Structure formats: structure tokens, C-alpha cells
Short mmCIF file of all heavy atoms in Angstrom, two decimals:
data_model
loop_
_atom_site.label_atom_id
_atom_site.label_comp_id
_atom_site.label_asym_id
_atom_site.label_seq_id
_atom_site.Cartn_x
_atom_site.Cartn_y
_atom_site.Cartn_z
N CYS A 1 -9.57 -1.66 3.66
CA CYS A 1 -8.95 -2.83 4.27
C CYS A 1 -9.08 -2.70 5.77
O CYS A 1 -8.51 -1.78 6.37
CB CYS A 1 -7.48 -2.92 3.87
SG CYS A 1 -6.54 -4.20 4.73
N ALA A 2 -9.83 -3.60 6.36
CA ALA A 2 -10.04 -3.60 7.80
C ALA A 2 -9.11 -4.61 8.45
O ALA A 2 -9.05 -5.77 8.03
CB ALA A 2 -11.49 -3.93 8.12
N ALA A 3 -8.40 -4.18 9.48
CA ALA A 3 -7.44 -5.03 10.18
C ALA A 3 -7.92 -5.37 11.58
O ALA A 3 -8.54 -4.55 12.26
CB ALA A 3 -6.08 -4.33 10.27
N SER A 4 -7.60 -6.57 12.02
CA SER A 4 -8.08 -7.05 13.31
C SER A 4 -7.12 -6.79 14.47
O SER A 4 -7.47 -7.00 15.62
CB SER A 4 -8.36 -8.55 13.24
OG SER A 4 -7.18 -9.28 12.99
N THR A 5 -5.92 -6.32 14.19
CA THR A 5 -4.91 -6.14 15.23
C THR A 5 -5.21 -4.96 16.14
O THR A 5 -5.71 -3.93 15.71
CB THR A 5 -3.51 -5.97 14.62
OG1 THR A 5 -2.56 -5.75 15.66
CG2 THR A 5 -3.48 -4.78 13.66
N SER A 6 -4.83 -5.12 17.41
CA SER A 6 -5.00 -4.04 18.38
C SER A 6 -3.86 -3.03 18.36
O SER A 6 -3.93 -2.00 19.02
CB SER A 6 -5.13 -4.63 19.79
OG SER A 6 -3.96 -5.34 20.16
N ILE A 7 -2.81 -3.33 17.60
CA ILE A 7 -1.68 -2.41 17.45
C ILE A 7 -1.57 -1.92 16.02
O ILE A 7 -0.48 -1.76 15.48
CB ILE A 7 -0.35 -3.04 17.93
CG1 ILE A 7 -0.08 -4.36 17.20
CG2 ILE A 7 -0.37 -3.25 19.43
CD1 ILE A 7 1.34 -4.88 17.42
N PHE A 8 -2.69 -1.66 15.42
CA PHE A 8 -2.76 -1.22 14.03
C PHE A 8 -1.90 0.03 13.80
O PHE A 8 -1.29 0.18 12.73
CB PHE A 8 -4.21 -0.94 13.65
CG PHE A 8 -4.39 -0.43 12.25
CD1 PHE A 8 -4.31 -1.28 11.17
CD2 PHE A 8 -4.65 0.92 12.03
CE1 PHE A 8 -4.48 -0.81 9.87
CE2 PHE A 8 -4.82 1.39 10.74
CZ PHE A 8 -4.74 0.52 9.66
N THR A 9 -1.84 0.90 14.78
CA THR A 9 -1.09 2.15 14.63
C THR A 9 0.40 1.92 14.37
O THR A 9 1.07 2.79 13.82
CB THR A 9 -1.23 3.04 15.88
OG1 THR A 9 -0.83 2.31 17.04
CG2 THR A 9 -2.67 3.49 16.04
N LEU A 10 0.92 0.75 14.76
CA LEU A 10 2.33 0.46 14.58
C LEU A 10 2.65 -0.14 13.21
O LEU A 10 3.82 -0.23 12.83
CB LEU A 10 2.82 -0.51 15.66
CG LEU A 10 2.67 -0.04 17.11
CD1 LEU A 10 3.18 -1.11 18.06
CD2 LEU A 10 3.40 1.26 17.34
N TYR A 11 1.65 -0.54 12.49
CA TYR A 11 1.84 -1.22 11.22
C TYR A 11 2.10 -0.29 10.06
O TYR A 11 1.50 0.79 9.96
CB TYR A 11 0.62 -2.08 10.90
CG TYR A 11 0.62 -3.44 11.55
CD1 TYR A 11 0.43 -3.57 12.92
CD2 TYR A 11 0.80 -4.58 10.79
CE1 TYR A 11 0.44 -4.82 13.51
CE2 TYR A 11 0.80 -5.83 11.38
CZ TYR A 11 0.62 -5.95 12.74
OH TYR A 11 0.62 -7.19 13.33
N LYS A 12 2.99 -0.72 9.19
CA LYS A 12 3.10 -0.11 7.89
C LYS A 12 2.11 -0.84 6.99
O LYS A 12 2.14 -2.07 6.91
CB LYS A 12 4.51 -0.23 7.31
CG LYS A 12 4.66 0.41 5.94
CD LYS A 12 6.08 0.32 5.43
CE LYS A 12 6.22 1.01 4.08
NZ LYS A 12 7.61 0.96 3.57
N MET A 13 1.25 -0.11 6.34
CA MET A 13 0.21 -0.69 5.51
C MET A 13 0.46 -0.37 4.04
O MET A 13 1.02 0.67 3.70
CB MET A 13 -1.17 -0.17 5.91
CG MET A 13 -1.53 -0.40 7.38
SD MET A 13 -1.57 -2.16 7.83
CE MET A 13 -2.89 -2.75 6.75
N GLY A 14 0.03 -1.28 3.20
CA GLY A 14 0.23 -1.06 1.78
C GLY A 14 -0.83 -1.73 0.94
O GLY A 14 -1.54 -2.63 1.39
N TRP A 15 -0.94 -1.25 -0.28
CA TRP A 15 -1.78 -1.88 -1.28
C TRP A 15 -0.90 -2.38 -2.41
O TRP A 15 -0.06 -1.62 -2.92
CB TRP A 15 -2.82 -0.90 -1.84
CG TRP A 15 -3.93 -0.60 -0.89
CD1 TRP A 15 -4.04 0.47 -0.05
CD2 TRP A 15 -5.12 -1.37 -0.70
NE1 TRP A 15 -5.21 0.41 0.66
CE2 TRP A 15 -5.89 -0.71 0.28
CE3 TRP A 15 -5.60 -2.55 -1.26
CZ2 TRP A 15 -7.13 -1.20 0.71
CZ3 TRP A 15 -6.83 -3.04 -0.83
CH2 TRP A 15 -7.57 -2.36 0.14
N TYR A 16 -1.08 -3.62 -2.77
CA TYR A 16 -0.40 -4.24 -3.88
C TYR A 16 -1.43 -4.67 -4.90
O TYR A 16 -2.61 -4.81 -4.58
CB TYR A 16 0.40 -5.46 -3.43
CG TYR A 16 1.61 -5.15 -2.59
CD1 TYR A 16 1.48 -4.72 -1.27
CD2 TYR A 16 2.90 -5.32 -3.10
CE1 TYR A 16 2.60 -4.44 -0.49
CE2 TYR A 16 4.02 -5.05 -2.33
CZ TYR A 16 3.86 -4.62 -1.03
OH TYR A 16 4.97 -4.35 -0.26
N ARG A 17 -0.99 -4.91 -6.11
CA ARG A 17 -1.91 -5.44 -7.11
C ARG A 17 -1.20 -6.44 -8.00
O ARG A 17 0.01 -6.39 -8.17
CB ARG A 17 -2.52 -4.32 -7.96
CG ARG A 17 -1.55 -3.60 -8.88
CD ARG A 17 -2.23 -2.43 -9.55
NE ARG A 17 -1.34 -1.74 -10.47
CZ ARG A 17 -1.64 -0.60 -11.08
NH1 ARG A 17 -2.81 -0.02 -10.86
NH2 ARG A 17 -0.76 -0.04 -11.90
N GLN A 18 -1.97 -7.34 -8.54
CA GLN A 18 -1.44 -8.34 -9.44
C GLN A 18 -2.40 -8.53 -10.61
O GLN A 18 -3.55 -8.93 -10.42
CB GLN A 18 -1.21 -9.68 -8.73
CG GLN A 18 -0.50 -10.71 -9.58
CD GLN A 18 0.00 -11.89 -8.77
OE1 GLN A 18 -0.55 -12.20 -7.71
NE2 GLN A 18 1.04 -12.53 -9.26
N ALA A 19 -1.91 -8.21 -11.79
CA ALA A 19 -2.67 -8.41 -13.01
C ALA A 19 -2.36 -9.79 -13.58
O ALA A 19 -1.30 -10.36 -13.28
CB ALA A 19 -2.33 -7.33 -14.03
N PRO A 20 -3.24 -10.34 -14.40
CA PRO A 20 -3.00 -11.67 -14.99
C PRO A 20 -1.66 -11.73 -15.72
O PRO A 20 -1.36 -10.86 -16.53
CB PRO A 20 -4.17 -11.84 -15.95
CG PRO A 20 -5.26 -11.02 -15.36
CD PRO A 20 -4.55 -9.81 -14.80
N GLY A 21 -0.87 -12.74 -15.41
CA GLY A 21 0.40 -12.93 -16.07
C GLY A 21 1.51 -12.01 -15.61
O GLY A 21 2.61 -12.04 -16.17
N LYS A 22 1.26 -11.21 -14.59
CA LYS A 22 2.26 -10.28 -14.10
C LYS A 22 2.57 -10.52 -12.63
O LYS A 22 1.80 -11.17 -11.93
CB LYS A 22 1.81 -8.83 -14.30
CG LYS A 22 1.65 -8.42 -15.75
CD LYS A 22 1.33 -6.95 -15.87
CE LYS A 22 1.24 -6.52 -17.31
NZ LYS A 22 0.94 -5.07 -17.43
N GLN A 23 3.70 -9.99 -12.19
CA GLN A 23 4.09 -10.11 -10.80
C GLN A 23 3.32 -9.12 -9.94
O GLN A 23 2.85 -8.09 -10.43
CB GLN A 23 5.59 -9.86 -10.64
CG GLN A 23 6.47 -10.92 -11.25
CD GLN A 23 7.94 -10.68 -10.98
OE1 GLN A 23 8.69 -10.38 -11.89
NE2 GLN A 23 8.34 -10.80 -9.73
N ARG A 24 3.19 -9.45 -8.69
CA ARG A 24 2.56 -8.54 -7.76
C ARG A 24 3.44 -7.31 -7.57
O ARG A 24 4.65 -7.42 -7.42
CB ARG A 24 2.32 -9.24 -6.42
CG ARG A 24 1.49 -8.44 -5.44
CD ARG A 24 1.14 -9.26 -4.20
NE ARG A 24 0.34 -10.43 -4.55
CZ ARG A 24 -0.23 -11.23 -3.66
NH1 ARG A 24 -0.09 -10.98 -2.36
NH2 ARG A 24 -0.92 -12.29 -4.05
N GLU A 25 2.83 -6.14 -7.58
CA GLU A 25 3.58 -4.90 -7.45
C GLU A 25 2.98 -4.00 -6.39
O GLU A 25 1.77 -4.01 -6.15
CB GLU A 25 3.62 -4.15 -8.78
CG GLU A 25 2.25 -3.68 -9.27
CD GLU A 25 2.32 -2.82 -10.51
OE1 GLU A 25 3.41 -2.33 -10.85
OE2 GLU A 25 1.26 -2.62 -11.15
N LEU A 26 3.84 -3.23 -5.77
CA LEU A 26 3.39 -2.26 -4.78
C LEU A 26 2.70 -1.10 -5.48
O LEU A 26 3.23 -0.53 -6.42
CB LEU A 26 4.57 -1.74 -3.96
CG LEU A 26 4.24 -0.63 -2.95
CD1 LEU A 26 3.37 -1.17 -1.82
CD2 LEU A 26 5.52 -0.03 -2.38
N VAL A 27 1.53 -0.75 -5.00
CA VAL A 27 0.78 0.38 -5.53
C VAL A 27 0.98 1.61 -4.66
O VAL A 27 1.27 2.70 -5.15
CB VAL A 27 -0.72 0.05 -5.63
CG1 VAL A 27 -1.52 1.26 -6.10
CG2 VAL A 27 -0.94 -1.13 -6.58
N ALA A 28 0.81 1.44 -3.37
CA ALA A 28 0.94 2.54 -2.43
C ALA A 28 1.19 2.00 -1.04
O ALA A 28 0.79 0.88 -0.71
CB ALA A 28 -0.33 3.40 -2.43
N ALA A 29 1.86 2.79 -0.22
CA ALA A 29 2.13 2.40 1.16
C ALA A 29 2.01 3.60 2.07
O ALA A 29 2.20 4.74 1.65
CB ALA A 29 3.53 1.79 1.28
N ILE A 30 1.68 3.32 3.32
CA ILE A 30 1.58 4.38 4.31
C ILE A 30 2.14 3.87 5.63
O ILE A 30 1.82 2.77 6.07
CB ILE A 30 0.11 4.88 4.46
CG1 ILE A 30 0.04 6.06 5.43
CG2 ILE A 30 -0.81 3.74 4.88
CD1 ILE A 30 -1.29 6.80 5.37
N THR A 31 3.00 4.66 6.25
CA THR A 31 3.66 4.24 7.47
C THR A 31 2.85 4.61 8.70
O THR A 31 1.80 5.24 8.62
CB THR A 31 5.05 4.88 7.59
OG1 THR A 31 4.90 6.29 7.82
CG2 THR A 31 5.86 4.66 6.32
N SER A 32 3.38 4.23 9.86
CA SER A 32 2.74 4.57 11.13
C SER A 32 2.73 6.07 11.39
O SER A 32 1.91 6.55 12.17
CB SER A 32 3.43 3.85 12.28
OG SER A 32 4.79 4.21 12.37
N SER A 33 3.64 6.79 10.74
CA SER A 33 3.69 8.24 10.87
C SER A 33 3.02 8.96 9.71
O SER A 33 3.21 10.16 9.51
CB SER A 33 5.14 8.71 11.01
OG SER A 33 5.91 8.33 9.90
N PHE A 34 2.25 8.21 8.91
CA PHE A 34 1.45 8.74 7.82
C PHE A 34 2.25 9.19 6.62
O PHE A 34 1.74 9.92 5.76
CB PHE A 34 0.53 9.86 8.30
CG PHE A 34 -0.45 9.43 9.34
CD1 PHE A 34 -0.13 9.53 10.69
CD2 PHE A 34 -1.67 8.90 8.98
CE1 PHE A 34 -1.03 9.10 11.66
CE2 PHE A 34 -2.58 8.47 9.94
CZ PHE A 34 -2.26 8.58 11.28
N SER A 35 3.51 8.76 6.54
CA SER A 35 4.28 9.00 5.34
C SER A 35 3.78 8.07 4.25
O SER A 35 3.43 6.92 4.52
CB SER A 35 5.77 8.74 5.61
OG SER A 35 6.53 8.88 4.44
N THR A 36 3.73 8.55 3.02
CA THR A 36 3.20 7.75 1.92
C THR A 36 4.16 7.66 0.76
O THR A 36 5.02 8.52 0.57
CB THR A 36 1.87 8.33 1.40
OG1 THR A 36 2.09 9.66 0.91
CG2 THR A 36 0.82 8.36 2.49
N ASN A 37 4.01 6.62 -0.03
CA ASN A 37 4.71 6.53 -1.29
C ASN A 37 3.85 5.75 -2.28
O ASN A 37 3.03 4.92 -1.89
CB ASN A 37 6.11 5.90 -1.15
CG ASN A 37 6.08 4.45 -0.75
OD1 ASN A 37 6.04 4.12 0.43
ND2 ASN A 37 6.14 3.56 -1.75
N TYR A 38 4.06 6.04 -3.56
CA TYR A 38 3.23 5.49 -4.61
C TYR A 38 4.06 4.99 -5.77
O TYR A 38 5.15 5.51 -6.05
CB TYR A 38 2.27 6.55 -5.15
CG TYR A 38 1.32 7.12 -4.13
CD1 TYR A 38 1.66 8.22 -3.37
CD2 TYR A 38 0.06 6.54 -3.94
CE1 TYR A 38 0.79 8.74 -2.43
CE2 TYR A 38 -0.81 7.06 -3.01
CZ TYR A 38 -0.44 8.16 -2.25
OH TYR A 38 -1.32 8.67 -1.32
N ALA A 39 3.52 4.01 -6.46
CA ALA A 39 4.10 3.61 -7.72
C ALA A 39 3.95 4.76 -8.71
O ALA A 39 2.95 5.49 -8.68
CB ALA A 39 3.42 2.36 -8.26
N ASP A 40 4.93 4.93 -9.58
CA ASP A 40 4.87 6.02 -10.55
C ASP A 40 3.60 5.97 -11.40
O ASP A 40 3.06 7.00 -11.79
CB ASP A 40 6.09 5.98 -11.46
CG ASP A 40 7.36 6.42 -10.77
OD1 ASP A 40 7.27 7.08 -9.71
OD2 ASP A 40 8.45 6.12 -11.29
N SER A 41 3.13 4.77 -11.68
CA SER A 41 1.99 4.60 -12.55
C SER A 41 0.67 5.11 -11.95
O SER A 41 -0.29 5.31 -12.68
CB SER A 41 1.83 3.12 -12.93
OG SER A 41 1.65 2.32 -11.77
N VAL A 42 0.64 5.31 -10.64
CA VAL A 42 -0.59 5.75 -10.00
C VAL A 42 -0.48 7.11 -9.33
O VAL A 42 -1.49 7.62 -8.82
CB VAL A 42 -1.10 4.72 -8.97
CG1 VAL A 42 -1.21 3.34 -9.60
CG2 VAL A 42 -0.20 4.68 -7.74
N LYS A 43 0.70 7.70 -9.33
CA LYS A 43 0.88 9.01 -8.70
C LYS A 43 -0.05 10.05 -9.31
O LYS A 43 -0.18 10.15 -10.52
CB LYS A 43 2.33 9.47 -8.84
CG LYS A 43 3.29 8.81 -7.88
CD LYS A 43 4.70 9.35 -8.04
CE LYS A 43 5.64 8.70 -7.05
NZ LYS A 43 7.04 9.15 -7.24
N GLY A 44 -0.68 10.79 -8.44
CA GLY A 44 -1.61 11.82 -8.88
C GLY A 44 -3.01 11.31 -9.09
O GLY A 44 -3.95 12.11 -9.23
N ARG A 45 -3.20 10.00 -9.11
CA ARG A 45 -4.52 9.41 -9.33
C ARG A 45 -5.03 8.67 -8.10
O ARG A 45 -6.23 8.69 -7.82
CB ARG A 45 -4.50 8.46 -10.51
CG ARG A 45 -4.11 9.11 -11.83
CD ARG A 45 -4.31 8.15 -13.00
NE ARG A 45 -3.46 6.97 -12.90
CZ ARG A 45 -3.91 5.71 -12.86
NH1 ARG A 45 -5.22 5.48 -12.93
NH2 ARG A 45 -3.06 4.70 -12.78
N PHE A 46 -4.13 8.00 -7.40
CA PHE A 46 -4.50 7.20 -6.24
C PHE A 46 -4.05 7.89 -4.96
O PHE A 46 -3.02 8.56 -4.93
CB PHE A 46 -3.84 5.83 -6.29
CG PHE A 46 -4.36 4.90 -7.35
CD1 PHE A 46 -5.18 5.34 -8.38
CD2 PHE A 46 -4.00 3.55 -7.32
CE1 PHE A 46 -5.64 4.48 -9.36
CE2 PHE A 46 -4.45 2.68 -8.29
CZ PHE A 46 -5.27 3.14 -9.32
#
């Protein structure tokens, strides 16, 4: 995911996904300080 902002370092970034017929869900996120969190379904794989 390429971002156009000049203050990218300040952004919290995340990946979400949406399967057919389902709600959008958070897959993974990473903060400006490189802290991460993952959905249980993808931990250890993503």
C-alpha cells in the first residue's frame, strides 16, 4: 500500500478485508511507533 502523504510516519496504518456477504474486518495494524496487532485468525501467518 503506497501512500501519498508527506507525514506518513505519523499515520496508523492497517489492513482490512471484506469477504462476500460479510462485514469488513481488521486484519492487521501498525502504529507510528511500529507496534502491531493482528486478528486472531491471521496471527502467526500474516
Side-chain angles (χ1 to χ4, degrees):
C1 172
S4 64
T5 178
S6 62
I7 55 168
F8 178 77
T9 56
L10 301 179
Y11 276 71
K12 180 177 182 179
M13 303 299 298
W15 287 96
Y16 290 72
R17 68 186 182 188
Q18 187 167 26
K22 296 186 177 181
Q23 292 184 248
R24 188 172 299 188
E25 64 174 345
L26 176 68
V27 176
I30 184 166
T31 70
S32 60
S33 59
F34 299 91
S35 176
T36 61
N37 67 273
Y38 299 89
D40 287 342
S41 59
V42 307
K43 282 182 179 177
R45 299 188 297 122
F46 291 12

